[in-house]
Amino acid sequence: MKVTVRSFAKINLGLRIGSKRDDGFHELLTVYQTIALHDVIRVSVARGDGIEILCGDPRVPRDESNTCFRIVERAMAALRAKERVVIEIEKRLPVQGGLGGASSNAVATLLALERALRKPLSTEERLLVAAEVGSDLPLFLVGGTVLGMGRGEQVYPLTDLPATPCVVITPEVGVSTPKAFAEWDQLTLPAASDRMNELGRGLSAWLSEPYSSAPSHFLRRGGRAGNPLLWLDRAGIENDFEQVVFPEYPELREAKRVLVRAGAKYASLSGSGSTLYGLFASKDAAAKAAKGLRKQGLAAQATATLPRAAYWKKLFG
Ligand code: C5P
């Protein structure tokens, strides 16, 4: 039996890096948001043993360094299952792009595997297995707008941002996340706890806006009360990684500026990059901006944020 699932990407609506912990990870505070861009994953099980990864993209590893491989190993042990597992990855998302592609692929693989084996893990086991493989995996077990804390693996569903038009720019360069964290540690900054509190205040201000019930025309109407996208900026919600990634790759800072000039209400680096995204007030504005950016030679795609219910419906749909 072959199970096919969509493996959606995420963006970060703000990301604060806190202090480095004894285990080497950094405290994080972020809001993850799933978007409609996706890879496709196919999982099949057969008699035998071993894990095989098939992927047309040479940048995707086929061995145990692949997150899909690692999650299957753990899930098979937790389920006490002994079959051969074949994972096909149809890669459309950038590799090392800050869109959580590898993390999302692993979660999609896990969900497809459970279906293929007809053996579900409990919610707790699923979250545990996901967090063991990487900090950015558990968010994909929630979907929609998700608060991330701890090293990013502690996830809490937030009231969903309504489906919002979005333009994603995927530059050629890949940014190494561990390297970006290491560079962050070299910066001299005010106390980490103050900075976390500051983003916490910004997020509460933003989240207390009544956007959850806002019909889409609210997004088109200007003004502070009606536009949650403008609030993101006003609340001072930003991504700390920009401070270390932009100096190294000035073209990414420029791409963010270009998004704003093209009409984005809010633009940011996603995760540690190199992907940049802009949120737009209408689908038309996003489509037009993406077209204009492509004319300037940037790899831009128009898409939309994916609220929780749509995420789960389309994952298996
Ligand atoms: O958890 P994940 O495998 O995605 O993390 C990759 C690397 O990124 C870690 O080994 C660590 O160096 C760094 N990291 C970190 N703090 C986090 C998440 C990741 O320092 N909160």
Side-chain angles (χ1 to χ4, degrees):
M1 179 177 167
K2 194 182 271 190
V3 178
T4 302
V5 289
R6 290 196 179 90
S7 166
F8 292 104
K10 61 85 181 159
I11 53 176
N12 296 81
L13 304 173
L15 188 155
R16 268 284 195 258
I17 308 170
S19 39
K20 192 171 176 179
R21 315 189 310 195
D22 291 343
D23 62 6
F25 286 91
H26 293 73
E27 285 295 330
L28 279 192
L29 181 59
T30 187
V31 174
Y32 300 109
Q33 172 65 55
T34 49
I35 61 170
L37 294 185
H38 60 274
D39 290 335
V40 176
I41 303 284
R42 294 182 190 89
V43 174
S44 51
V45 292
R47 231 176 275 151
D49 57 20
I51 302 167
E52 189 181 357
I53 297 180
L54 307 172
C55 181
D57 189 326
R59 293 168 305 172
V60 175
R62 318 288 155 82
D63 58 11
E64 62 281 356
S65 67
N66 189 305
T67 49
C68 299
F69 192 107
R70 282 169 26 219
I71 207 157
V72 169
E73 269 186 326
R74 284 173 172 79
M76 294 299 275
L79 291 165
R80 294 194 179 77
K82 285 190 179 61
E83 265 104 339
R84 172 170 187 74
V85 181
V86 180
I87 310 155
E88 293 172 45
I89 306 172
E90 194 181 310
K91 203 79 207 155
R92 302 178 188 174
L93 300 172
V95 177
Q96 279 201 325
L99 292 177
S103 305
S104 169
N105 287 175
V107 170
T109 299
L110 174 66
L111 296 170
L113 178 70
E114 289 180 37
R115 283 216 170 181
L117 292 169
R118 293 200 182 84
K119 279 187 188 174
L121 284 169
S122 69
T123 307
E124 291 74 25
E125 277 176 311
R126 214 176 274 143
L127 280 166
L128 216 69
V129 164
E132 267 176 32
V133 174
S135 312
D136 263 6
L137 270 71
L139 84 103
F140 292 106
L141 289 169
V142 181
T145 312
V146 183
L147 179 67
M149 294 172 71
R151 61 180 165 92
E153 93 291 12
Q154 289 171 29
V155 287
Y156 304 92
L158 293 172
T159 308
D160 263 324
L161 182 71
T164 301
C166 174
V167 171
V168 166
I169 298 182
T170 49
E172 286 285 303
V173 292
V175 176
S176 149
T177 304
K179 194 165 157 256
F181 273 115
E183 277 161 16
W184 176 262
D185 292 336
Q186 304 303 314
L187 299 180
T188 328
L189 291 158
S193 56
D194 291 349
R195 301 179 55 267
M196 296 295 251
N197 288 339
E198 188 193 310
L199 180 66
R201 278 194 297 274
L203 286 174
S204 337
W206 176 57
L207 294 166
S208 61
E209 275 297 290
Y211 66 78
S212 58
S213 56
S216 58
H217 70 261
F218 259 20
L219 300 177
R220 282 191 287 278
R221 226 196 295 150
R224 173 180 155 131
N227 196 330
L229 304 181
L230 289 179
W231 254 105
L232 265 171
D233 240 351
R234 290 218 177 101
I237 290 170
E238 51 187 33
N239 180 348
D240 277 345
F241 277 119
E242 290 184 356
Q243 291 189 47
V244 284
V245 175
F246 284 175
E248 192 165 343
Y249 303 100
E251 68 270 32
L252 301 188
R253 189 198 305 275
E254 184 50 30
K256 175 173 165 175
R257 287 195 185 123
V258 173
L259 274 166
V260 173
R261 281 202 294 272
K265 300 290 176 203
Y266 180 78
S268 173
L269 187 72
S270 183
S272 60
S274 61
T275 298
L276 295 132
Y277 67 86
L279 300 176
F280 286 77
S282 74
K283 209 173 152 182
D284 274 0
K288 224 164 124 186
K291 204 172 158 192
L293 295 170
R294 282 195 295 272
K295 272 197 189 138
Q296 295 177 49
L298 291 161
Q301 299 177 71
T303 180
T305 63
L306 198 59
R308 194 163 304 118
Y311 173 82
W312 286 105
K313 194 167 161 217
K314 291 181 178 172
L315 199 136
F316 290 112

